[in-house]
Amino acid sequence: MIIFDKSFLQSLTVDEAVILDQMFSCVVTPLFFVETMADLTKETARGRSAEQVVGGLAERTPVAHSYINTYHQDVVLEDLLGRREEFDHRPAVAGGIPVKVEGKAGLVFRKSPEQDAFDRWQQGRFLEVERVFARQWRDELANIDLPSITKAWKSILRSEDRPKTHEAARDLARRAVDAGGQNYRILRMAHNLLGMPPRTLNAVVRNWKAAGSLPLREYAPLAAHCLEVDLFFELCLSNGLISDQRPSNKIDISYLYYLPFADFFVSGDKLHRTAAPLFMDARQRFVWGQDLKADLAALNSYFSTLPDEEKAKGLFTLASKPPIDHNGLVADLWDVRMPGWRTPKPPAPKMAPKAEAEIIARSRGLVDAASRSGPYSWDDGADVEHLVIERHIPKQRGSWRMFSAAVEASNDADGRNSLADQ
């Protein structure tokens, strides 16, 4: 799983972005979506309209192996209410529709509103509400008052107590979050500073007490992580380690809230390069954007030189993994996350046409059930036997044909204009 920021995706050509989508499962953060939409009101370079800029970003956004992560504040609130999830480098995806077909339970994830928006933006179609939101977001960004935060912390900390390095700021923030004997105060601080609705405080405190009044990091680990990021940012402002003259620094640091949902974070932003590794565990890795872009370009060139009969299979089949002898950054990341992938494996036995047809029919039956009758009630402990994630993948992306002629013909026979991955 890889998270990217907007600046990295903007740096890629369309073909490089398509290779990124093939090589990694990509976690698309709500922050990326909002930043992209906000560009509708941003001044652009001569010769390109704001709509063209946004459409270009939408064209580059991963679709084949992507997951729209839930807004971090929604997950933090669930965390503070004691509804704990395992934050094990997998995205938090909302909107699953529970269904039951032929007595078997399944979960269907339909195409998200964000994905619908990206599709429209590629075609140059924008809603007026999106333009209004873009103007409001730009106004709010301009009104972020970082100097007042700097002034407040300077009034609290003596000069000699302010952190002199980013590592010292992280350590000071961590000690504040993990301070012993102050569990209730830290819980209240997290609820307040992380912007939780005031009406939820009583339920948060009640559930926390019922769980044993645990330390925040033990009771609500994501809330502890986000609080630590916020305190780190403000402590860095207090001593000039992060500039308080760029309101966008607050947006940039917010990408770090989503680190628990992925293995890798790729960015070309210097603040990310400095700060992100401080909040990543031993299994995670920060990736410098220029380095990954260069290797994606190399892989794109490699696949482009293959014979036409190979490319006719479609990139979805052709580039399901890096070349086994590839020694670039992409292969290094695969080595970290999927050791053993280079070892040749015997080809999987071809599925019988009847069995394949049954699987497809079952998947479409689940999707139809989700559309026709809506969700049914089930217990949290229900045994989910089927999971369907609906994706719409263009047949052509940049220079690449995504699927073989046979797959396209089968899809056309169903009356679809793009491929749904189920």
Short mmCIF file of all heavy atoms in Angstrom, two decimals, residues 257-311:
data_model
loop_
_atom_site.label_atom_id
_atom_site.label_comp_id
_atom_site.label_asym_id
_atom_site.label_seq_id
_atom_site.Cartn_x
_atom_site.Cartn_y
_atom_site.Cartn_z
N TYR A 257 -1.28 12.23 8.97
CA TYR A 257 -2.36 11.55 9.70
C TYR A 257 -2.64 10.17 9.10
O TYR A 257 -3.10 9.27 9.80
CB TYR A 257 -3.67 12.35 9.61
CG TYR A 257 -3.65 13.72 10.25
CD1 TYR A 257 -4.44 14.75 9.71
CD2 TYR A 257 -2.89 14.00 11.37
CE1 TYR A 257 -4.46 16.02 10.29
CE2 TYR A 257 -2.90 15.27 11.94
CZ TYR A 257 -3.68 16.27 11.40
OH TYR A 257 -3.71 17.52 11.96
N TYR A 258 -2.38 10.01 7.80
CA TYR A 258 -2.77 8.80 7.08
C TYR A 258 -1.65 7.76 7.00
O TYR A 258 -1.84 6.72 6.38
CB TYR A 258 -3.25 9.18 5.66
CG TYR A 258 -4.50 10.02 5.69
CD1 TYR A 258 -4.42 11.42 5.72
CD2 TYR A 258 -5.76 9.45 5.76
CE1 TYR A 258 -5.56 12.20 5.78
CE2 TYR A 258 -6.91 10.22 5.82
CZ TYR A 258 -6.80 11.60 5.84
OH TYR A 258 -7.93 12.37 5.91
N LEU A 259 -0.51 8.02 7.63
CA LEU A 259 0.60 7.06 7.57
C LEU A 259 0.22 5.66 8.07
O LEU A 259 0.70 4.66 7.52
CB LEU A 259 1.79 7.60 8.37
CG LEU A 259 2.49 8.83 7.78
CD1 LEU A 259 3.65 9.25 8.68
CD2 LEU A 259 2.99 8.56 6.37
N PRO A 260 -0.62 5.52 9.13
CA PRO A 260 -0.94 4.17 9.59
C PRO A 260 -1.69 3.31 8.57
O PRO A 260 -1.84 2.11 8.77
CB PRO A 260 -1.82 4.42 10.83
CG PRO A 260 -1.42 5.77 11.31
CD PRO A 260 -1.15 6.55 10.06
N PHE A 261 -2.14 3.92 7.46
CA PHE A 261 -2.96 3.19 6.50
C PHE A 261 -2.17 2.70 5.29
O PHE A 261 -2.77 2.26 4.30
CB PHE A 261 -4.12 4.08 6.03
CG PHE A 261 -5.00 4.57 7.15
CD1 PHE A 261 -5.00 5.90 7.52
CD2 PHE A 261 -5.80 3.69 7.85
CE1 PHE A 261 -5.79 6.35 8.56
CE2 PHE A 261 -6.61 4.13 8.89
CZ PHE A 261 -6.60 5.46 9.25
N ALA A 262 -0.84 2.76 5.32
CA ALA A 262 -0.06 2.35 4.16
C ALA A 262 1.33 1.90 4.58
O ALA A 262 1.78 2.16 5.70
CB ALA A 262 0.05 3.50 3.15
N ASP A 263 2.01 1.22 3.66
CA ASP A 263 3.39 0.78 3.88
C ASP A 263 4.39 1.86 3.50
O ASP A 263 5.43 2.01 4.15
CB ASP A 263 3.70 -0.47 3.03
CG ASP A 263 2.77 -1.61 3.34
OD1 ASP A 263 2.84 -2.15 4.45
OD2 ASP A 263 1.96 -1.97 2.45
N PHE A 264 4.07 2.60 2.42
CA PHE A 264 5.01 3.58 1.88
C PHE A 264 4.30 4.92 1.69
O PHE A 264 3.10 4.98 1.42
CB PHE A 264 5.55 3.12 0.52
CG PHE A 264 6.07 1.71 0.52
CD1 PHE A 264 5.52 0.76 -0.34
CD2 PHE A 264 7.10 1.33 1.35
CE1 PHE A 264 5.98 -0.54 -0.35
CE2 PHE A 264 7.58 0.02 1.36
CZ PHE A 264 7.02 -0.91 0.50
N PHE A 265 5.07 6.00 1.84
CA PHE A 265 4.57 7.34 1.56
C PHE A 265 5.53 7.98 0.59
O PHE A 265 6.73 8.09 0.86
CB PHE A 265 4.47 8.15 2.85
CG PHE A 265 4.05 9.59 2.66
CD1 PHE A 265 3.08 9.93 1.72
CD2 PHE A 265 4.62 10.60 3.41
CE1 PHE A 265 2.69 11.24 1.54
CE2 PHE A 265 4.23 11.92 3.25
CZ PHE A 265 3.26 12.25 2.31
N VAL A 266 5.02 8.42 -0.57
CA VAL A 266 5.87 9.02 -1.59
C VAL A 266 5.48 10.48 -1.77
O VAL A 266 4.31 10.83 -1.86
CB VAL A 266 5.76 8.26 -2.93
CG1 VAL A 266 4.33 8.18 -3.42
CG2 VAL A 266 6.65 8.91 -3.99
N SER A 267 6.50 11.33 -1.79
CA SER A 267 6.28 12.77 -1.92
C SER A 267 7.56 13.43 -2.40
O SER A 267 8.66 12.92 -2.17
CB SER A 267 5.86 13.36 -0.56
OG SER A 267 5.89 14.78 -0.59
N GLY A 268 7.40 14.57 -3.05
CA GLY A 268 8.54 15.38 -3.43
C GLY A 268 8.64 16.63 -2.58
O GLY A 268 9.35 17.58 -2.93
N ASP A 269 7.94 16.63 -1.44
CA ASP A 269 7.90 17.79 -0.56
C ASP A 269 8.99 17.66 0.51
O ASP A 269 9.11 16.62 1.18
CB ASP A 269 6.52 17.88 0.10
CG ASP A 269 6.37 19.10 0.98
OD1 ASP A 269 6.77 19.03 2.16
OD2 ASP A 269 5.87 20.11 0.48
N LYS A 270 9.78 18.72 0.71
CA LYS A 270 10.90 18.66 1.65
C LYS A 270 10.42 18.49 3.09
O LYS A 270 11.09 17.83 3.90
CB LYS A 270 11.77 19.90 1.51
CG LYS A 270 12.52 19.98 0.18
CD LYS A 270 13.38 21.23 0.10
CE LYS A 270 14.12 21.29 -1.23
NZ LYS A 270 14.95 22.52 -1.35
N LEU A 271 9.28 19.10 3.43
CA LEU A 271 8.74 18.93 4.78
C LEU A 271 8.38 17.48 5.02
O LEU A 271 8.67 16.91 6.09
CB LEU A 271 7.51 19.83 4.98
CG LEU A 271 6.76 19.67 6.32
CD1 LEU A 271 7.69 19.89 7.50
CD2 LEU A 271 5.58 20.64 6.37
N HIS A 272 7.76 16.84 4.05
CA HIS A 272 7.44 15.41 4.17
C HIS A 272 8.72 14.58 4.31
O HIS A 272 8.76 13.63 5.10
CB HIS A 272 6.65 14.94 2.95
CG HIS A 272 5.26 15.45 2.90
ND1 HIS A 272 4.53 15.54 1.73
CD2 HIS A 272 4.43 15.90 3.88
CE1 HIS A 272 3.34 16.03 1.98
NE2 HIS A 272 3.26 16.26 3.28
N ARG A 273 9.72 14.93 3.55
CA ARG A 273 10.97 14.15 3.58
C ARG A 273 11.61 14.20 4.97
O ARG A 273 12.19 13.21 5.43
CB ARG A 273 11.95 14.70 2.54
CG ARG A 273 13.17 13.84 2.30
CD ARG A 273 14.07 14.46 1.24
NE ARG A 273 14.98 13.47 0.67
CZ ARG A 273 15.82 13.72 -0.32
NH1 ARG A 273 15.87 14.93 -0.86
NH2 ARG A 273 16.61 12.78 -0.79
N THR A 274 11.47 15.34 5.64
CA THR A 274 12.05 15.50 6.97
C THR A 274 11.17 14.87 8.04
O THR A 274 11.67 14.17 8.95
CB THR A 274 12.25 16.99 7.28
OG1 THR A 274 13.15 17.56 6.32
CG2 THR A 274 12.80 17.19 8.69
N ALA A 275 9.85 15.11 7.95
CA ALA A 275 8.96 14.77 9.07
C ALA A 275 8.40 13.36 9.00
O ALA A 275 8.27 12.70 10.04
CB ALA A 275 7.82 15.79 9.13
N ALA A 276 8.03 12.89 7.82
CA ALA A 276 7.32 11.61 7.73
C ALA A 276 8.08 10.44 8.36
O ALA A 276 7.48 9.65 9.10
CB ALA A 276 6.96 11.31 6.28
N PRO A 277 9.39 10.29 8.10
CA PRO A 277 10.09 9.13 8.69
C PRO A 277 10.05 9.11 10.22
O PRO A 277 10.17 8.04 10.82
CB PRO A 277 11.53 9.31 8.19
CG PRO A 277 11.40 10.09 6.92
CD PRO A 277 10.27 11.04 7.18
N LEU A 278 9.85 10.26 10.86
CA LEU A 278 9.80 10.32 12.32
C LEU A 278 8.56 9.63 12.87
O LEU A 278 8.52 9.29 14.06
CB LEU A 278 9.82 11.78 12.79
CG LEU A 278 11.05 12.60 12.39
CD1 LEU A 278 10.87 14.05 12.82
CD2 LEU A 278 12.32 12.01 12.98
N PHE A 279 7.55 9.42 12.02
CA PHE A 279 6.28 8.85 12.47
C PHE A 279 5.98 7.50 11.81
O PHE A 279 4.85 7.02 11.87
CB PHE A 279 5.14 9.84 12.19
CG PHE A 279 5.28 11.13 12.94
CD1 PHE A 279 5.96 12.20 12.38
CD2 PHE A 279 4.77 11.27 14.22
CE1 PHE A 279 6.11 13.39 13.07
CE2 PHE A 279 4.92 12.44 14.92
CZ PHE A 279 5.59 13.51 14.35
N MET A 280 6.99 6.90 11.20
CA MET A 280 6.80 5.62 10.52
C MET A 280 7.47 4.52 11.32
O MET A 280 8.50 4.74 11.98
CB MET A 280 7.36 5.69 9.10
CG MET A 280 6.76 6.81 8.27
SD MET A 280 7.45 6.97 6.60
CE MET A 280 6.38 5.88 5.69
N ASP A 281 6.88 3.32 11.28
CA ASP A 281 7.47 2.21 12.02
C ASP A 281 8.49 1.48 11.16
O ASP A 281 8.76 1.87 10.01
CB ASP A 281 6.38 1.26 12.56
CG ASP A 281 5.59 0.57 11.45
OD1 ASP A 281 6.17 0.28 10.38
OD2 ASP A 281 4.39 0.31 11.66
N ALA A 282 9.05 0.41 11.71
CA ALA A 282 10.15 -0.28 11.04
C ALA A 282 9.74 -0.91 9.71
O ALA A 282 10.59 -1.13 8.84
CB ALA A 282 10.72 -1.35 11.97
N ARG A 283 8.45 -1.18 9.54
CA ARG A 283 7.98 -1.81 8.30
C ARG A 283 7.69 -0.78 7.21
O ARG A 283 7.48 -1.15 6.05
CB ARG A 283 6.71 -2.61 8.56
CG ARG A 283 6.90 -3.90 9.35
CD ARG A 283 5.56 -4.58 9.54
NE ARG A 283 4.86 -4.78 8.29
CZ ARG A 283 3.54 -4.96 8.17
NH1 ARG A 283 2.78 -4.95 9.26
NH2 ARG A 283 2.98 -5.14 7.00
N GLN A 284 7.66 0.48 7.57
CA GLN A 284 7.29 1.52 6.62
C GLN A 284 8.51 2.22 6.05
O GLN A 284 9.61 2.15 6.61
CB GLN A 284 6.36 2.53 7.29
CG GLN A 284 5.01 1.95 7.69
CD GLN A 284 4.15 2.98 8.40
OE1 GLN A 284 4.50 3.48 9.48
NE2 GLN A 284 3.01 3.32 7.82
N ARG A 285 8.28 2.95 4.96
CA ARG A 285 9.39 3.62 4.30
C ARG A 285 8.90 4.87 3.59
O ARG A 285 7.86 4.84 2.91
CB ARG A 285 10.06 2.66 3.31
CG ARG A 285 11.26 3.24 2.56
CD ARG A 285 11.96 2.13 1.81
NE ARG A 285 12.93 2.64 0.85
CZ ARG A 285 13.66 1.87 0.04
NH1 ARG A 285 13.53 0.56 0.09
NH2 ARG A 285 14.51 2.41 -0.82
N PHE A 286 9.65 5.96 3.75
CA PHE A 286 9.39 7.17 2.97
C PHE A 286 10.14 7.07 1.65
O PHE A 286 11.30 6.63 1.60
CB PHE A 286 9.85 8.42 3.72
CG PHE A 286 9.68 9.68 2.92
CD1 PHE A 286 8.42 10.26 2.78
CD2 PHE A 286 10.75 10.25 2.25
CE1 PHE A 286 8.25 11.40 2.01
CE2 PHE A 286 10.60 11.39 1.48
CZ PHE A 286 9.34 11.97 1.36
N VAL A 287 9.49 7.47 0.57
CA VAL A 287 10.06 7.38 -0.77
C VAL A 287 10.12 8.77 -1.38
O VAL A 287 9.10 9.47 -1.45
CB VAL A 287 9.22 6.45 -1.67
CG1 VAL A 287 9.83 6.35 -3.07
CG2 VAL A 287 9.08 5.06 -1.04
N TRP A 288 11.30 9.19 -1.78
CA TRP A 288 11.46 10.49 -2.41
C TRP A 288 10.86 10.45 -3.81
O TRP A 288 11.14 9.57 -4.62
CB TRP A 288 12.93 10.87 -2.46
CG TRP A 288 13.22 12.24 -2.97
CD1 TRP A 288 14.03 12.57 -4.00
CD2 TRP A 288 12.71 13.48 -2.44
NE1 TRP A 288 14.07 13.93 -4.18
CE2 TRP A 288 13.26 14.53 -3.24
CE3 TRP A 288 11.85 13.82 -1.41
CZ2 TRP A 288 12.98 15.88 -3.01
CZ3 TRP A 288 11.56 15.16 -1.17
CH2 TRP A 288 12.11 16.17 -1.97
N GLY A 289 10.00 11.42 -4.10
CA GLY A 289 9.20 11.40 -5.32
C GLY A 289 10.02 11.34 -6.60
O GLY A 289 9.68 10.61 -7.54
N GLN A 290 11.10 12.11 -6.67
CA GLN A 290 11.90 12.13 -7.90
C GLN A 290 12.52 10.76 -8.19
O GLN A 290 12.65 10.36 -9.34
CB GLN A 290 13.00 13.19 -7.78
CG GLN A 290 12.47 14.61 -7.71
CD GLN A 290 13.57 15.63 -7.50
OE1 GLN A 290 14.75 15.33 -7.63
NE2 GLN A 290 13.18 16.86 -7.18
N ASP A 291 12.89 10.05 -7.13
CA ASP A 291 13.48 8.72 -7.32
C ASP A 291 12.46 7.73 -7.87
O ASP A 291 12.76 6.95 -8.78
CB ASP A 291 14.03 8.19 -5.99
CG ASP A 291 15.19 9.02 -5.47
OD1 ASP A 291 15.81 9.75 -6.27
OD2 ASP A 291 15.47 8.96 -4.25
N LEU A 292 11.24 7.78 -7.34
CA LEU A 292 10.21 6.86 -7.83
C LEU A 292 9.78 7.22 -9.24
O LEU A 292 9.56 6.35 -10.08
CB LEU A 292 9.01 6.84 -6.88
CG LEU A 292 7.92 5.84 -7.24
CD1 LEU A 292 8.47 4.42 -7.32
CD2 LEU A 292 6.77 5.89 -6.22
N LYS A 293 9.66 8.51 -9.52
CA LYS A 293 9.30 8.94 -10.88
C LYS A 293 10.29 8.40 -11.89
O LYS A 293 9.89 7.90 -12.95
CB LYS A 293 9.26 10.47 -10.94
CG LYS A 293 9.06 11.02 -12.36
CD LYS A 293 9.06 12.53 -12.37
CE LYS A 293 9.14 13.09 -13.78
NZ LYS A 293 7.98 12.70 -14.63
N ALA A 294 11.59 8.48 -11.58
CA ALA A 294 12.61 8.00 -12.51
C ALA A 294 12.46 6.51 -12.78
O ALA A 294 12.60 6.05 -13.93
CB ALA A 294 14.01 8.31 -11.96
N ASP A 295 12.14 5.74 -11.75
CA ASP A 295 12.03 4.29 -11.96
C ASP A 295 10.73 3.94 -12.67
O ASP A 295 10.69 2.99 -13.46
CB ASP A 295 12.12 3.55 -10.62
CG ASP A 295 12.49 2.08 -10.82
OD1 ASP A 295 13.37 1.80 -11.67
OD2 ASP A 295 11.92 1.22 -10.14
N LEU A 296 9.67 4.68 -12.42
CA LEU A 296 8.42 4.46 -13.17
C LEU A 296 8.64 4.74 -14.65
O LEU A 296 8.11 4.02 -15.51
CB LEU A 296 7.30 5.35 -12.61
CG LEU A 296 6.83 5.04 -11.19
CD1 LEU A 296 5.86 6.11 -10.70
CD2 LEU A 296 6.17 3.66 -11.12
N ALA A 297 9.42 5.77 -14.95
CA ALA A 297 9.73 6.07 -16.35
C ALA A 297 10.54 4.93 -16.98
O ALA A 297 10.29 4.55 -18.14
CB ALA A 297 10.51 7.39 -16.45
N ALA A 298 11.48 4.38 -16.21
CA ALA A 298 12.28 3.26 -16.73
C ALA A 298 11.40 2.04 -17.00
O ALA A 298 11.56 1.36 -18.02
CB ALA A 298 13.38 2.92 -15.73
N LEU A 299 10.47 1.75 -16.09
CA LEU A 299 9.58 0.61 -16.29
C LEU A 299 8.65 0.85 -17.48
O LEU A 299 8.37 -0.08 -18.26
CB LEU A 299 8.76 0.36 -15.03
CG LEU A 299 9.51 -0.28 -13.86
CD1 LEU A 299 8.65 -0.29 -12.61
CD2 LEU A 299 9.93 -1.71 -14.21
N ASN A 300 8.17 2.08 -17.63
CA ASN A 300 7.32 2.38 -18.77
C ASN A 300 8.07 2.13 -20.08
O ASN A 300 7.53 1.56 -21.03
CB ASN A 300 6.84 3.83 -18.69
CG ASN A 300 5.87 4.18 -19.79
OD1 ASN A 300 4.78 3.62 -19.89
ND2 ASN A 300 6.27 5.12 -20.65
N SER A 301 9.35 2.54 -20.12
CA SER A 301 10.17 2.30 -21.32
C SER A 301 10.37 0.81 -21.56
O SER A 301 10.31 0.34 -22.70
CB SER A 301 11.53 3.00 -21.17
OG SER A 301 11.37 4.40 -21.10
N TYR A 302 10.59 0.06 -20.47
CA TYR A 302 10.80 -1.38 -20.61
C TYR A 302 9.57 -2.05 -21.22
O TYR A 302 9.68 -2.81 -22.19
CB TYR A 302 11.12 -2.00 -19.25
CG TYR A 302 11.05 -3.51 -19.25
CD1 TYR A 302 12.11 -4.28 -19.69
CD2 TYR A 302 9.88 -4.16 -18.83
CE1 TYR A 302 12.04 -5.67 -19.72
CE2 TYR A 302 9.80 -5.55 -18.84
CZ TYR A 302 10.87 -6.30 -19.28
OH TYR A 302 10.78 -7.66 -19.32
N PHE A 303 8.40 -1.79 -20.63
CA PHE A 303 7.19 -2.44 -21.14
C PHE A 303 6.86 -1.97 -22.56
O PHE A 303 6.29 -2.72 -23.36
CB PHE A 303 6.02 -2.18 -20.20
CG PHE A 303 6.13 -2.90 -18.88
CD1 PHE A 303 6.17 -2.19 -17.68
CD2 PHE A 303 6.19 -4.28 -18.82
CE1 PHE A 303 6.28 -2.85 -16.46
CE2 PHE A 303 6.30 -4.95 -17.61
CZ PHE A 303 6.35 -4.23 -16.43
N SER A 304 7.23 -0.72 -22.89
CA SER A 304 6.94 -0.19 -24.22
C SER A 304 7.73 -0.89 -25.31
O SER A 304 7.32 -0.89 -26.48
CB SER A 304 7.23 1.31 -24.26
OG SER A 304 6.39 2.01 -23.38
N THR A 305 8.90 -1.45 -24.95
CA THR A 305 9.75 -2.10 -25.96
C THR A 305 9.39 -3.56 -26.19
O THR A 305 10.00 -4.22 -27.04
CB THR A 305 11.23 -2.02 -25.54
OG1 THR A 305 11.41 -2.68 -24.28
CG2 THR A 305 11.68 -0.56 -25.42
N LEU A 306 8.43 -4.10 -25.45
CA LEU A 306 8.05 -5.49 -25.64
C LEU A 306 7.34 -5.67 -26.99
O LEU A 306 6.77 -4.71 -27.54
CB LEU A 306 7.12 -5.92 -24.50
CG LEU A 306 7.77 -5.99 -23.10
CD1 LEU A 306 6.73 -6.38 -22.06
CD2 LEU A 306 8.93 -6.98 -23.08
N PRO A 307 7.34 -6.86 -27.53
CA PRO A 307 6.69 -7.10 -28.83
C PRO A 307 5.21 -6.74 -28.79
O PRO A 307 4.55 -6.81 -27.76
CB PRO A 307 6.90 -8.61 -29.04
CG PRO A 307 8.07 -8.97 -28.19
CD PRO A 307 8.00 -8.07 -27.00
N ASP A 308 4.69 -6.39 -29.95
CA ASP A 308 3.30 -5.98 -30.05
C ASP A 308 2.35 -7.08 -29.59
O ASP A 308 1.30 -6.79 -28.99
CB ASP A 308 2.96 -5.58 -31.49
CG ASP A 308 3.60 -4.26 -31.88
OD1 ASP A 308 4.03 -3.51 -30.97
OD2 ASP A 308 3.68 -3.97 -33.09
N GLU A 309 2.71 -8.34 -29.86
CA GLU A 309 1.81 -9.42 -29.45
C GLU A 309 1.73 -9.53 -27.92
O GLU A 309 0.71 -9.96 -27.37
CB GLU A 309 2.25 -10.77 -30.05
CG GLU A 309 3.68 -11.19 -29.72
CD GLU A 309 4.67 -10.73 -30.78
OE1 GLU A 309 4.37 -9.74 -31.49
OE2 GLU A 309 5.73 -11.38 -30.89
N GLU A 310 2.81 -9.12 -27.25
CA GLU A 310 2.77 -9.09 -25.79
C GLU A 310 1.91 -7.93 -25.31
O GLU A 310 1.07 -8.08 -24.41
CB GLU A 310 4.19 -8.97 -25.22
CG GLU A 310 5.01 -10.24 -25.30
CD GLU A 310 4.46 -11.32 -24.40
OE1 GLU A 310 4.28 -11.08 -23.20
OE2 GLU A 310 4.17 -12.42 -24.92
N LYS A 311 2.11 -6.76 -25.89
CA LYS A 311 1.35 -5.57 -25.48
C LYS A 311 -0.14 -5.73 -25.78
O LYS A 311 -0.98 -5.09 -25.14
CB LYS A 311 1.91 -4.33 -26.15
CG LYS A 311 3.28 -3.93 -25.60
CD LYS A 311 3.76 -2.59 -26.12
CE LYS A 311 4.27 -2.70 -27.52
NZ LYS A 311 4.89 -1.44 -27.98
#
